[in-house]
Amino acid sequence: MIDVKPELFTAEFRELSAKLGQDPLQVQGPGGNTSIKEGDVMWIKASGTELANAVKTNIFVAVDRNAALAEAREETGDGSCKTTILDPAISLRPSIETTFHAALDHKVVVHTHSVATITHGISPEGREALKQKLEGLPFVLVPYAKPGLPLTRLILAAQKADTRVFILQNHGLLCCGASVDEVKSLIQDVERRLCLPARDYARKPKKPVPPSGYGWAEESWLARDARASEIALSGTYYPDHTVFLGPALPEQDKTGSAPAVLVKGEGVLLSLMATDSQRAMLLCLSNVLRRLPEGWSVEAIGAEAEAELLNWDAEKYRQALAKNA
């Protein structure tokens, strides 16, 4: 019988995972992932599950770290690591980012979609600012790449011997270390340094009456702020927005299936059938743009990157799990 080293899967590790998952400024919906490893076994969050449930639900799977490492090095497999799960009776897939978790030679690896990090990472001015803010920390800045093997390649190319913090452009934060406490402290330090004040905004409008099937979202300020509206309509700025809300926010629901529609000067219409993941991503957009300083420009991931995500089987799997949650 395969030893999956259940002693690795500590309460401390699960509690940190859950705490991050329950904070919308750190993780939104099924985003983010955590892992803990020793020798040839690695426990990692399963794809499409939510870190928020890490204590009360079994959301982790044990994988063969050596097999996952071989996929990270592109020696075998397709990078999905689906065949690396140690218990064949488990139907869940490991995280789509298992390859970089396996390749990073640290016991604990935590990846979040930190709002503060995203806000800096989508902006050229923000990326320059964070270089000063994070001075003294063992960090590197990693250019945007599609999650999975493309991102793993860039992470491994960027890391140095002492790197413990990776700022993933247009994506999020990655911290690693020898213990849960070490990684927890790193995350807190990065968040403290990158913290940005959030602007207040008016709540959802009471008029006009929304069209059938929709309600006005709490994030409707996005449609009444000229700068925020332009940014929201112009593209997407990190992967999970594309995956769960689609490319940019539309001004009209041309297909009859848009989860959110931005009506300039009025508000944001949110489908009454919107999933929790879609609601979480609309809140994330609001949280990012509330913190974006005046004078900082933004760079979208672009139509090609959006198409890669929307046509990817791994992301269609996450979408299906979110829809059925």
Side-chain angles (χ1 to χ4, degrees), residues 85-320:
I85 291 182
L86 291 172
D87 185 350
I90 292 177
S91 60
L92 293 170
R93 299 182 183 182
S95 167
I96 59 176
E97 291 167 327
T98 296
T99 48
F100 71 64
H101 282 264
L104 291 170
D105 198 20
H106 300 278
K107 182 170 185 176
V108 179
V109 178
V110 171
H111 168 45
T112 66
H113 295 165
S114 154
V115 164
T117 305
I118 289 173
T119 307
H120 284 79
I122 65 174
S123 167
E125 295 82 5
R127 295 193 291 272
E128 286 302 311
L130 72 78
K131 291 176 185 177
Q132 294 185 338
K133 293 180 180 183
L134 298 183
E135 187 175 356
L137 284 181
F139 87 96
V140 293
L141 181 62
V142 181
Y144 176 79
K146 177 186 172 184
L149 277 176
L151 179 57
T152 297
R153 292 186 201 112
L154 294 190
I155 287 173
L156 297 181
Q159 77 167 335
K160 302 172 184 175
D162 66 341
T163 304
R164 298 292 182 274
V165 177
F166 299 81
I167 305 297
L168 309 181
Q169 182 176 324
N170 291 79
H171 191 147
L173 174 65
L174 174 60
C175 293
C176 42
S179 69
V180 171
D181 279 344
E182 180 184 344
V183 174
K184 182 179 178 180
S185 294
L186 271 176
I187 293 170
Q188 290 172 341
D189 195 5
V190 172
E191 290 297 322
R192 177 182 59 80
R193 292 172 183 239
L194 297 187
C195 181
L196 293 165
R199 290 179 292 150
D200 290 331
Y201 64 91
R203 296 293 174 178
K204 60 184 177 182
K206 295 181 179 179
K207 296 180 181 180
V209 176
S212 177
Y214 284 91
W216 292 114
E218 292 289 341
E219 297 80 12
S220 284
W221 77 274
L222 292 166
R224 300 193 296 272
D225 181 284
R227 182 183 183 223
S229 179
E230 179 182 359
I231 292 172
L233 292 170
S234 297
T236 50
Y237 303 91
Y238 36 89
D240 272 8
H241 182 112
T242 305
V243 172
F244 294 108
L245 286 180
L249 288 185
E251 290 187 81
Q252 295 179 346
D253 182 11
K254 296 180 180 179
T255 64
S257 60
V261 178
L262 189 147
V263 183
K264 278 187 175 181
E266 296 286 354
V268 176
L269 292 168
L270 182 64
S271 170
L272 300 180
M273 300 298 290
T275 66
D276 288 344
S277 298
Q278 290 167 334
R279 294 172 186 273
M281 291 318 302
L282 184 59
L283 175 60
C284 181
L285 178 64
S286 174
N287 280 332
V288 168
L289 296 187
R290 286 178 65 198
R291 289 163 174 78
L292 186 70
E294 295 291 337
W296 284 17
S297 58
V298 294
E299 292 179 340
I301 62 173
E304 184 176 341
E306 290 170 348
E308 281 187 324
L309 292 166
L310 292 172
N311 294 322
W312 190 18
D313 172 69
E315 292 295 15
K316 290 178 180 179
Y317 172 80
R318 284 209 304 157
Q319 290 170 335

